[in-house]
Amino acid sequence: MALFVLRRLGVMLLTALCLTFVVFFLTNLAPNLEKLAKTQGNARMSDAEVLSWLDRNGYGGPLLVRYGEWLGVMPGWTRLDEPTGEWRGRCLAPGQTPDEAPRRCGLLQGDFGFSTVSDAEVAAIIPERLRLTGILMFWAFAVMVPSALLVGVLAGMREGSRLDRALSTVSIGSTATPEYVSGVIFIVLLASSTTGISPLLSELGWIEGRTLFLGSARSAMDSGVTFWNFTLPVMTIALYGMGYIARMTRASMAEVMTAQYIRTARLKGVSFRNIVLKHALRNALIAPFTVIMLQFPWLLTGVVIVETLFNYNGFGWTLVQAASNNDIELLLACSIVAVFVVLVTQLISDIGYVFLNPRIRIS
Amino acid sequence: MLNTPETHLATHPAAEMYAAEYKAGQLSRREFMVRATALGLSATAAYGLIGLKPALAQRATPPMGGSLRIQQGVLALKDPRTYDWSEMGNVTRGLLEYLIEYNRDGSFSGVLLESWESNADVTQYTLRLRPGVTWNNGDAFTAEDVAANFRGWCDSTVEGNSMAARMGGLVDAETGQAREGGIVVVDDLTVQINLPAPDITLVPGMADYPAAIQHRDLIGTNPLDHGVGTGAYRIADYQVGIAARLEKNPDHTYWGEAYLDDVTFVDLGTDPAAWFAAAEAGEFDMTYQTVGEFVDLFAAVGWEQSDVTTGATLAVRFNQLNAPYDNVEVRRAILEAVDLSVVLELGINGQGTVGENHHVCPIHPEYAELPPMAVDKDAAMARLEAAGQADANFTLISLDDGLGRFTCDAVAAQMRDAGMTVTREVLPGSTFWNDWLNYPFSATEWNHRELGVQILNLAYRSGVAWNETAFANAEFDTLLDQANGIQDAAARREVMARLQQIMQEEAVTIIPYWRSLFRHYRPGVVNADMHPKFEINIHHLGLSA
């Protein structure tokens, strides 16, 4: 078991290394560096100014060396700024000389680097963003998992029944609607004071504000999560995942319900209710468990859209900002976080599988 | 509040000349105000010269207190000289003030300056500082501060320092620094600026958003790092891309009045649909700018509307270094094919006035009226055939925003109507600005400038940094130099007429329209009117009781 976990951690490190190198390579392509120089220097810089800016800010060296600097295996760059006589460098605070500063400052030294778009240390940004996304994910899971399991079990316990057909149609519909479609539909229907049902409700005096729900989750960041500001983003994420998990649960449930031991239980005269709850459910939940764990990586992509749509400044939003502004070190940190989340959830899924299904052994 | 009429000039020989021109109908009221106040007259004195009572420039006095949220991009701050977006100036304006403020009626009024005046041939300016202004670190605001800022502005060796271009002749071309003897500290409260050649654009230059006044020891630094300024506010929180909050600084005695307790700039991205959704959710009280169809939408949900006509436009320009646009006949053919009134209607819903394919707007003092350009699609195609470019495929590049996209679509449609082959390419903002100077055929948004010569100096003079058309014309440059030294609007107009003509003849760019700018705010917000240069001065804002 310990060996298994260890091996998984090794894979995680290797994946993170490969992924960050790919991201590093892509963000350091010449046009991307030019974009960076122009967002950081001046949007209307000339080509000569761009080159000078890149050189002065440490983007001039060979790619591998700079990747090494970021990892912390190569010494950080330093250079003397001629006109001012001040030293500049990767590891230098303003006013420091190379002798006073540490030689290396990279990932190995625990330094995630500096985010150019946010104008702050990456290490200071990521935790707060992750916390906000964590809140959103928590509520999305809290809505998605129980409702998906319920729908799946209800649909799967009598395969082919009218209930099964109805619930399956709903699940397929919800999983076939991507977030950027459902989110917009929700906003138009429920969060506009001129269209949808809000003006109607407002006229009848059934709601206090102008709209039923808020089309922006920004207030959830400062003044806390409320039913009013968080329903739409949570529903948008949850609906998409719900359909998929429900379909998996249904398939698994339907299969279990045809198993020999269920038939035996029925012949013994056990009530249908007890068959479902006591005999079928545990075995039927093994497959959905893996699927639920697989939803974490899916949700990471989902929050990119939902957070941008609903103005919620979490991890997904940060990723969009970093990518659109070519913020190299923030993007690298985001990739590490993504690799970590994906592989840790897979690890949990594998270990959890063992506990749910004693027939499986981890070698 | 901002003007102390006694210390401003009561009159000026040139201003009296303008007053005569105004009365003769040669200048509009707005043009007169720009010219007279640029010479150092207070707005009141200027209005007095033409026998009008000042009405527009006066602001309401809101009650003290309250907090306001403004929708606006929150960008990473840097050395104010290198600001490239007016949003940056809007946030720091609560902390770092300016010498002079450009008002929405076209006049200038002093902020950190009490008054200013120029000599008759506009080669020497005398700036008189407002007494009793202190920095929030306790230091007194003196002539040394102003001189240090001028020296900083003139330092053209600093990358992206756009103030160097605004300082014009004050910059020594050889050293890239301020000219010897150009900036003279006369006494604690007086600074004299000596220019080698007449320059009428110095005052508008001092009022522009990169001209924020920093402490004498902090030139070239990011205000966020030190927080030293003369304004009534301090930056309490600054998160790029999310929000910036300013609060009244309790440890600082401000020289003027400031009403609101705190102001938050809320960044909601670049999609106006997201702004509208957030407005419906009550996330802010005032927009930075409302664009396109959202003008009607905001009005429909009961927000107050404020608009201002400006010289802001979208230049659908050619780069003459690229074939086939190096051929003047090709450029002429395209101009001839495009009906600008249609572009105005389709591009910006008719929210503006029709342009004339030269970059001088009717509200500029020196604008000369030219005969209208003919639109003839058959002649255009014939011209193109004569130039041997009938099969040319024109690729028109635009930014992926409403304004640029729809306008270029309309231009492309007009060209196709004439029988030309046009490919449209739409790029996202991050990619578009990488190469905006060099695209063969693309559209660039230009903001309003106070005087007509300013934008010609910035964008159409041979070899200047922002010359995106690669237009190089010796006659144009000579005439422009001449115009820069003519103070009299009527006399300058003669030169200007020829400059405008050259732009049309050489078919430098399509200038399809002059935009009106809109802003919306919740009922109850005071002094939030739209400004031709997007300026927001949070010292003026308030909430009615």
Side-chain angles (χ1 to χ4, degrees), chain A residues 38 41 43 52 193 216 218, chain B residues 78 84 159 240 242 280 283 434:
Chain A
K38 284 188 176 170
S52 139
S193 66
S216 159
R218 201 182 173 84
Chain B
K78 48 190 171 183
D84 38 9
E159 269 162 38
V240 176
I242 299 176
E280 293 248 73
E283 305 267 15
N434 274 343

Side-chain angles (χ1 to χ4, degrees), chain B residues 203-223:
Chain B
V203 168
M206 285 190 280
D208 219 349
Y209 63 84
I213 294 295
Q214 293 244 63
H215 189 276
R216 53 189 169 270
D217 300 331
L218 298 166
I219 305 295
T221 56
N222 181 343

Side-chain angles (χ1 to χ4, degrees), chain A residues 31-32 34-36 38-47 49-50 52-53 56-57 116-119 128-129 187 191-195 210-211 214-221 228 308-311 313 317 321 324-325, chain B residues 75-78 82-85 158-162 222 224 238-243 265-269 274-278 280-283 297 300-302 430-431 433-438 444-446 449 465-466:
Chain A
N32 283 336
E34 193 179 328
K35 180 164 81 182
L36 179 72
K38 284 188 176 170
T39 48
Q40 289 309 300
N42 185 309
R44 303 183 170 194
M45 278 204 286
S46 65
D47 289 348
E49 283 176 324
V50 166
S52 139
W53 188 92
R56 282 200 308 123
N57 290 281
T116 49
V117 63
S118 313
D119 205 15
E128 170 63 13
R129 301 278 173 269
I187 290 181
S192 161
S193 66
T194 45
T195 55
R210 294 166 56 90
T211 58
L214 292 186
S216 159
R218 201 182 173 84
S219 53
M221 296 190 297
W228 203 33
T308 308
L309 192 63
F310 289 96
N311 269 308
N313 305 137
W317 178 85
Q321 290 294 307
S324 58
N325 290 286
Chain B
L75 306 152
L77 288 182
K78 48 190 171 183
T82 63
Y83 280 2
D84 38 9
W85 300 100
V158 175
E159 269 162 38
N161 173 13
S162 65
N222 181 343
L224 201 56
Y238 201 93
Q239 287 177 281
V240 176
I242 299 176
F265 290 91
V266 184
D267 190 334
L268 295 165
W275 307 343
F276 187 67
E280 293 248 73
E283 305 267 15
L297 284 174
V301 294
S430 45
T431 326
W433 290 112
N434 274 343
D435 209 23
W436 70 281
L437 282 166
N438 303 320
T444 310
E445 205 179 328
W446 284 92
R449 299 290 190 289
W466 286 1

